[in-house]
Amino acid sequence: MKKFWLLMSFALVLVLGACGGDGEGGEDESGQPADEGVTTEEDGDEGDDADSSDTALAEQTYEQNNCMGCHGEDLSGGSGPPLTNVGSEYSEDEIRTQIEEGGDGMPAGLVTDEEKLDALVTWLASQKSE
C-alpha cells in the first residue's frame, strides 16, 4: 500500500511540475531561447503583420507558460489532451474559460497577461483539423 501512495505522489509531482511554471523564459531542452515559438502553422501562409505578431506572441506564450509540458510541443498532447483540433471542438470563450479557471487536471491562471491571453486564445481557436 505504501508503494502505491509513493507512486501516486511521484506521478502528481511530475504532472504539476510539467504543467506549472514561473512564466519566465530561458532555454528549452534543445538549447534554443524560449522566445522561439512553436511552429504549427504552415510556412508560407500570408497574413498581415498584426496576425503574424499575434501568432508569434501566442506561440511564445504557449512555450513560456509550459503549456507544451502537458499538451506537447506540436500540440499533439501528452499528459494533457491534444490541441491540434481544439478550435473545432471549443469556442474562443470556452478556451479562455479553461485557461483562466483550469479544471480537468489543468491548473488555473497560467496566463494572466490579457494581451498574451487574447493572442493565445485566438491562436488556439484557429487550430482546426482540415
Side-chain angles (χ1 to χ4, degrees):
M1 188 65 159
K2 287 181 183 179
K3 288 181 182 181
F4 172 78
W5 287 113
L6 182 63
L7 179 61
M8 293 304 294
S9 298
F10 181 69
L12 181 63
V13 168
L14 286 177
V15 168
L16 291 176
C19 291
D22 59 7
E24 293 185 17
E27 293 184 351
D28 63 12
E29 294 82 19
S30 67
Q32 295 179 342
D35 62 347
E36 292 183 16
V38 178
T39 54
T40 59
E41 295 190 20
E42 294 179 22
D43 292 334
D45 282 352
E46 292 187 26
D48 64 309
D49 290 337
D51 288 344
S52 176
S53 66
D54 286 348
T55 297
L57 178 61
E59 291 174 347
Q60 179 181 17
T61 302
Y62 180 82
E63 183 173 340
Q64 288 180 347
N65 287 281
N66 296 322
C67 303
M68 67 177 51
C70 295
H71 298 287
E73 187 172 337
D74 61 354
L75 306 177
S76 64
S79 62
L83 301 176
T84 53
N85 195 34
V86 70
S88 295
E89 299 171 11
Y90 299 99
S91 70
E92 283 191 23
D93 288 338
E94 291 170 320
I95 293 170
R96 178 180 302 278
T97 299
Q98 184 68 32
I99 294 170
E100 290 177 330
E101 297 177 6
D104 295 328
M106 181 172 164
L110 292 178
V111 181
T112 56
D113 179 276
E114 282 300 315
E115 181 182 6
K116 291 179 179 180
L117 180 60
D118 289 343
L120 183 61
V121 167
T122 301
W123 178 67
L124 287 172
S126 73
Q127 303 301 316
K128 300 177 181 180
S129 295
E130 294 181 18

